[in-house]
Short mmCIF file of all heavy atoms in Angstrom, two decimals:
data_model
loop_
_atom_site.label_atom_id
_atom_site.label_comp_id
_atom_site.label_asym_id
_atom_site.label_seq_id
_atom_site.Cartn_x
_atom_site.Cartn_y
_atom_site.Cartn_z
N VAL A 17 55.82 -22.53 21.32
CA VAL A 17 54.79 -22.82 22.32
C VAL A 17 53.48 -22.92 21.54
O VAL A 17 53.03 -21.95 20.93
CB VAL A 17 54.74 -21.76 23.41
CG1 VAL A 17 53.50 -21.98 24.30
CG2 VAL A 17 56.01 -21.81 24.25
N ASP A 18 52.91 -24.10 21.56
CA ASP A 18 51.81 -24.46 20.65
C ASP A 18 50.53 -24.63 21.46
O ASP A 18 50.32 -25.64 22.12
CB ASP A 18 52.19 -25.75 19.94
CG ASP A 18 51.06 -26.34 19.09
OD1 ASP A 18 50.13 -25.59 18.77
OD2 ASP A 18 51.14 -27.54 18.77
N VAL A 39 58.63 -28.18 19.56
CA VAL A 39 57.23 -27.79 19.68
C VAL A 39 56.67 -28.29 21.01
O VAL A 39 56.68 -29.51 21.24
CB VAL A 39 56.37 -28.29 18.52
CG1 VAL A 39 54.91 -27.86 18.67
CG2 VAL A 39 56.92 -27.83 17.17
N ILE A 40 56.22 -27.37 21.84
CA ILE A 40 55.66 -27.72 23.14
C ILE A 40 54.17 -27.49 23.09
O ILE A 40 53.69 -26.36 23.01
CB ILE A 40 56.31 -26.87 24.26
CG1 ILE A 40 57.84 -27.13 24.29
CG2 ILE A 40 55.70 -27.19 25.61
CD1 ILE A 40 58.60 -26.24 25.23
N LYS A 41 53.42 -28.57 23.13
CA LYS A 41 51.97 -28.54 22.97
C LYS A 41 51.32 -28.34 24.35
O LYS A 41 51.49 -29.18 25.24
CB LYS A 41 51.48 -29.81 22.33
CG LYS A 41 49.99 -29.89 22.02
CD LYS A 41 49.62 -31.19 21.34
CE LYS A 41 48.13 -31.30 21.03
NZ LYS A 41 47.71 -30.41 19.92
N ILE A 42 50.58 -27.24 24.49
CA ILE A 42 49.88 -26.95 25.74
C ILE A 42 48.49 -27.55 25.67
O ILE A 42 47.71 -27.26 24.74
CB ILE A 42 49.76 -25.44 25.99
CG1 ILE A 42 51.14 -24.77 25.86
CG2 ILE A 42 49.13 -25.17 27.33
CD1 ILE A 42 52.18 -25.28 26.84
N GLU A 43 48.17 -28.43 26.63
CA GLU A 43 46.85 -29.08 26.64
C GLU A 43 46.16 -28.83 27.96
O GLU A 43 46.81 -28.66 29.01
CB GLU A 43 46.99 -30.57 26.36
CG GLU A 43 47.64 -30.84 25.00
CD GLU A 43 47.52 -32.29 24.57
OE1 GLU A 43 46.38 -32.71 24.19
OE2 GLU A 43 48.56 -33.01 24.63
N ALA A 44 44.83 -28.80 27.90
CA ALA A 44 44.04 -28.48 29.08
C ALA A 44 43.51 -29.77 29.74
O ALA A 44 43.29 -30.78 29.07
CB ALA A 44 42.85 -27.60 28.69
N PRO A 45 43.29 -29.73 31.05
CA PRO A 45 42.73 -30.89 31.71
C PRO A 45 41.26 -31.04 31.38
O PRO A 45 40.60 -30.10 30.94
CB PRO A 45 42.92 -30.54 33.21
CG PRO A 45 42.87 -29.07 33.22
CD PRO A 45 43.55 -28.60 31.96
N GLY A 53 42.82 -32.63 27.14
CA GLY A 53 43.69 -32.36 25.99
C GLY A 53 42.93 -32.16 24.71
O GLY A 53 41.72 -31.96 24.66
N ARG A 57 42.44 -36.27 20.09
CA ARG A 57 42.97 -37.47 20.74
C ARG A 57 41.93 -38.59 20.79
O ARG A 57 42.28 -39.76 20.86
CB ARG A 57 43.43 -37.14 22.16
CG ARG A 57 44.73 -36.35 22.27
CD ARG A 57 45.13 -36.18 23.72
NE ARG A 57 46.43 -35.55 23.86
CZ ARG A 57 47.59 -36.21 23.82
NH1 ARG A 57 47.57 -37.52 23.62
NH2 ARG A 57 48.75 -35.57 23.97
N LYS A 79 56.26 -33.26 18.91
CA LYS A 79 55.75 -32.31 19.90
C LYS A 79 55.91 -32.94 21.29
O LYS A 79 55.91 -34.14 21.44
CB LYS A 79 54.28 -32.00 19.65
CG LYS A 79 53.98 -31.39 18.29
CD LYS A 79 52.49 -31.09 18.11
CE LYS A 79 52.20 -30.60 16.70
NZ LYS A 79 50.77 -30.26 16.52
N ARG A 80 56.06 -32.04 22.28
CA ARG A 80 56.04 -32.47 23.67
C ARG A 80 54.77 -31.92 24.30
O ARG A 80 54.42 -30.77 24.06
CB ARG A 80 57.29 -31.95 24.41
CG ARG A 80 58.56 -32.56 23.90
CD ARG A 80 59.77 -32.23 24.82
NE ARG A 80 60.22 -30.85 24.65
CZ ARG A 80 61.10 -30.26 25.45
NH1 ARG A 80 61.55 -30.92 26.52
NH2 ARG A 80 61.51 -29.02 25.20
N SER A 81 54.08 -32.75 25.03
CA SER A 81 52.81 -32.39 25.63
C SER A 81 52.95 -31.95 27.09
O SER A 81 53.53 -32.67 27.91
CB SER A 81 51.80 -33.55 25.55
OG SER A 81 50.63 -33.25 26.28
N VAL A 82 52.42 -30.75 27.36
CA VAL A 82 52.40 -30.24 28.74
C VAL A 82 50.96 -29.96 29.12
O VAL A 82 50.24 -29.26 28.41
CB VAL A 82 53.20 -28.90 28.84
CG1 VAL A 82 53.12 -28.35 30.26
CG2 VAL A 82 54.65 -29.14 28.46
N LEU A 83 50.53 -30.50 30.23
CA LEU A 83 49.18 -30.35 30.70
C LEU A 83 49.12 -29.21 31.72
O LEU A 83 49.70 -29.30 32.79
CB LEU A 83 48.67 -31.64 31.33
CG LEU A 83 47.18 -31.84 31.51
CD1 LEU A 83 46.44 -31.74 30.15
CD2 LEU A 83 46.88 -33.20 32.14
N LEU A 84 48.49 -28.07 31.33
CA LEU A 84 48.40 -26.90 32.22
C LEU A 84 46.95 -26.48 32.40
O LEU A 84 46.19 -26.44 31.41
CB LEU A 84 49.18 -25.73 31.63
CG LEU A 84 50.69 -25.84 31.50
CD1 LEU A 84 51.27 -24.56 30.88
CD2 LEU A 84 51.35 -26.13 32.84
N ASP A 85 46.59 -26.14 33.58
CA ASP A 85 45.25 -25.63 33.85
C ASP A 85 45.32 -24.10 33.81
O ASP A 85 45.68 -23.46 34.79
CB ASP A 85 44.75 -26.10 35.21
CG ASP A 85 43.29 -25.74 35.46
OD1 ASP A 85 42.72 -24.99 34.62
OD2 ASP A 85 42.74 -26.18 36.48
N LEU A 86 44.94 -23.53 32.68
CA LEU A 86 45.04 -22.08 32.52
C LEU A 86 43.92 -21.34 33.23
O LEU A 86 43.89 -20.09 33.19
CB LEU A 86 45.08 -21.74 31.01
CG LEU A 86 46.28 -22.31 30.24
CD1 LEU A 86 46.23 -21.85 28.80
CD2 LEU A 86 47.59 -21.94 30.88
N GLY A 91 48.87 -22.13 36.56
CA GLY A 91 48.96 -22.57 35.17
C GLY A 91 49.32 -21.46 34.24
O GLY A 91 50.16 -21.59 33.32
N ALA A 94 52.97 -20.56 34.69
CA ALA A 94 53.85 -21.53 34.00
C ALA A 94 53.89 -21.23 32.51
O ALA A 94 54.96 -21.30 31.88
CB ALA A 94 53.34 -22.95 34.26
N LEU A 95 52.75 -20.91 31.89
CA LEU A 95 52.72 -20.58 30.48
C LEU A 95 53.51 -19.31 30.19
O LEU A 95 54.24 -19.24 29.20
CB LEU A 95 51.29 -20.47 29.97
CG LEU A 95 51.11 -20.19 28.47
CD1 LEU A 95 51.85 -21.24 27.63
CD2 LEU A 95 49.65 -20.11 28.11
N LEU A 98 57.11 -20.15 30.19
CA LEU A 98 57.46 -20.92 29.01
C LEU A 98 57.55 -20.04 27.78
O LEU A 98 58.45 -20.15 26.95
CB LEU A 98 56.41 -22.01 28.81
CG LEU A 98 56.74 -23.12 27.80
CD1 LEU A 98 58.08 -23.77 28.09
CD2 LEU A 98 55.65 -24.17 27.84
N PRO A 382 52.89 -37.40 21.38
CA PRO A 382 53.04 -37.54 22.82
C PRO A 382 51.76 -38.00 23.50
O PRO A 382 50.64 -37.71 23.07
CB PRO A 382 53.34 -36.09 23.24
CG PRO A 382 52.60 -35.27 22.23
CD PRO A 382 52.74 -36.04 20.94
N ARG A 383 51.92 -38.74 24.58
CA ARG A 383 50.80 -39.04 25.45
C ARG A 383 50.39 -37.78 26.17
O ARG A 383 51.19 -36.84 26.34
CB ARG A 383 51.17 -40.15 26.43
CG ARG A 383 51.51 -41.48 25.73
CD ARG A 383 51.80 -42.58 26.73
NE ARG A 383 52.98 -42.31 27.55
CZ ARG A 383 54.24 -42.49 27.16
NH1 ARG A 383 54.50 -42.92 25.92
NH2 ARG A 383 55.24 -42.23 27.97
N LEU A 384 49.17 -37.73 26.62
CA LEU A 384 48.63 -36.52 27.24
C LEU A 384 49.44 -36.14 28.47
O LEU A 384 49.55 -36.92 29.41
CB LEU A 384 47.17 -36.75 27.63
CG LEU A 384 46.43 -35.58 28.27
CD1 LEU A 384 46.43 -34.35 27.36
CD2 LEU A 384 45.00 -36.00 28.64
N GLY A 385 50.04 -34.96 28.42
CA GLY A 385 50.83 -34.48 29.56
C GLY A 385 52.15 -35.18 29.76
O GLY A 385 52.78 -35.02 30.82
N GLU A 386 52.60 -35.94 28.77
CA GLU A 386 53.79 -36.78 28.93
C GLU A 386 55.02 -36.01 29.37
O GLU A 386 55.86 -36.52 30.12
CB GLU A 386 54.05 -37.50 27.61
CG GLU A 386 55.29 -38.38 27.62
CD GLU A 386 55.55 -39.04 26.28
OE1 GLU A 386 54.67 -39.03 25.42
OE2 GLU A 386 56.66 -39.62 26.10
N HIS A 387 55.17 -34.77 28.90
CA HIS A 387 56.40 -34.03 29.13
C HIS A 387 56.23 -32.89 30.13
O HIS A 387 57.09 -32.01 30.23
CB HIS A 387 56.92 -33.49 27.80
CG HIS A 387 57.13 -34.54 26.77
ND1 HIS A 387 56.20 -34.85 25.83
CD2 HIS A 387 58.18 -35.37 26.58
CE1 HIS A 387 56.64 -35.82 25.06
NE2 HIS A 387 57.84 -36.18 25.50
N THR A 388 55.15 -32.89 30.88
CA THR A 388 54.87 -31.80 31.82
C THR A 388 56.01 -31.62 32.82
O THR A 388 56.54 -30.53 32.99
CB THR A 388 53.55 -32.05 32.57
OG1 THR A 388 52.49 -32.19 31.60
CG2 THR A 388 53.24 -30.89 33.50
N ASP A 389 56.41 -32.70 33.47
CA ASP A 389 57.44 -32.59 34.50
C ASP A 389 58.76 -32.08 33.94
O ASP A 389 59.38 -31.18 34.52
CB ASP A 389 57.65 -33.96 35.17
CG ASP A 389 56.49 -34.37 36.07
OD1 ASP A 389 55.57 -33.55 36.27
OD2 ASP A 389 56.48 -35.52 36.53
N GLU A 390 59.20 -32.65 32.83
CA GLU A 390 60.51 -32.26 32.30
C GLU A 390 60.52 -30.81 31.84
O GLU A 390 61.53 -30.10 32.01
CB GLU A 390 60.97 -33.19 31.18
CG GLU A 390 60.24 -33.04 29.86
CD GLU A 390 60.84 -33.93 28.77
OE1 GLU A 390 60.90 -35.16 28.96
OE2 GLU A 390 61.18 -33.39 27.73
N ILE A 391 59.43 -30.33 31.30
CA ILE A 391 59.42 -28.95 30.78
C ILE A 391 59.29 -27.95 31.92
O ILE A 391 59.96 -26.90 31.95
CB ILE A 391 58.32 -28.78 29.73
CG1 ILE A 391 58.74 -29.54 28.44
CG2 ILE A 391 58.08 -27.30 29.41
CD1 ILE A 391 57.68 -29.61 27.40
N LEU A 392 58.44 -28.24 32.91
CA LEU A 392 58.36 -27.34 34.06
C LEU A 392 59.69 -27.26 34.80
O LEU A 392 60.14 -26.18 35.21
CB LEU A 392 57.25 -27.81 35.03
CG LEU A 392 55.80 -27.67 34.52
CD1 LEU A 392 54.82 -28.16 35.57
CD2 LEU A 392 55.49 -26.25 34.12
N ILE A 395 62.16 -24.97 32.93
CA ILE A 395 62.00 -23.51 33.03
C ILE A 395 62.05 -23.06 34.49
O ILE A 395 61.69 -21.92 34.82
CB ILE A 395 60.69 -23.04 32.36
CG1 ILE A 395 59.46 -23.70 32.96
CG2 ILE A 395 60.76 -23.28 30.88
CD1 ILE A 395 58.15 -23.16 32.42
N LYS A 399 57.63 -29.44 39.75
CA LYS A 399 56.88 -30.32 38.88
C LYS A 399 55.35 -30.15 39.04
O LYS A 399 54.60 -30.51 38.16
CB LYS A 399 57.26 -31.78 39.16
CG LYS A 399 58.68 -32.10 38.76
CD LYS A 399 58.99 -33.57 39.00
CE LYS A 399 60.39 -33.93 38.53
NZ LYS A 399 60.71 -35.36 38.77
N MET A 401 53.85 -27.05 40.01
CA MET A 401 53.37 -25.70 39.79
C MET A 401 52.79 -25.58 38.38
O MET A 401 53.48 -25.85 37.38
CB MET A 401 54.49 -24.70 39.95
CG MET A 401 54.03 -23.26 39.71
SD MET A 401 55.31 -22.03 39.95
CE MET A 401 54.43 -20.54 39.49
N GLY A 402 51.56 -25.20 38.28
CA GLY A 402 50.94 -24.99 36.97
C GLY A 402 50.40 -26.25 36.32
O GLY A 402 49.63 -26.16 35.37
N ALA A 403 50.83 -27.39 36.79
CA ALA A 403 50.36 -28.63 36.17
C ALA A 403 48.91 -28.93 36.58
O ALA A 403 48.53 -28.67 37.71
CB ALA A 403 51.28 -29.78 36.57
N ALA A 404 48.20 -29.47 35.64
CA ALA A 404 46.80 -29.84 35.95
C ALA A 404 46.77 -31.04 36.88
O ALA A 404 47.62 -31.91 36.83
CB ALA A 404 46.05 -30.18 34.66
#
Side-chain angles (χ1 to χ4, degrees):
V17 172
D18 173 19
V39 180
I40 300 173
K41 184 178 180 73
I42 307 301
E43 300 192 74
R57 284 184 174 276
K79 300 180 185 182
R80 294 190 283 170
S81 172
V82 177
L83 198 58
L84 295 180
D85 187 353
L86 298 182
L95 182 55
L98 193 53
R383 297 183 297 280
L384 181 59
E386 178 181 348
H387 303 95
T388 303
D389 288 353
E390 72 176 56
I391 289 173
L392 290 181
I395 58 175
K399 293 182 178 181
M401 180 178 177

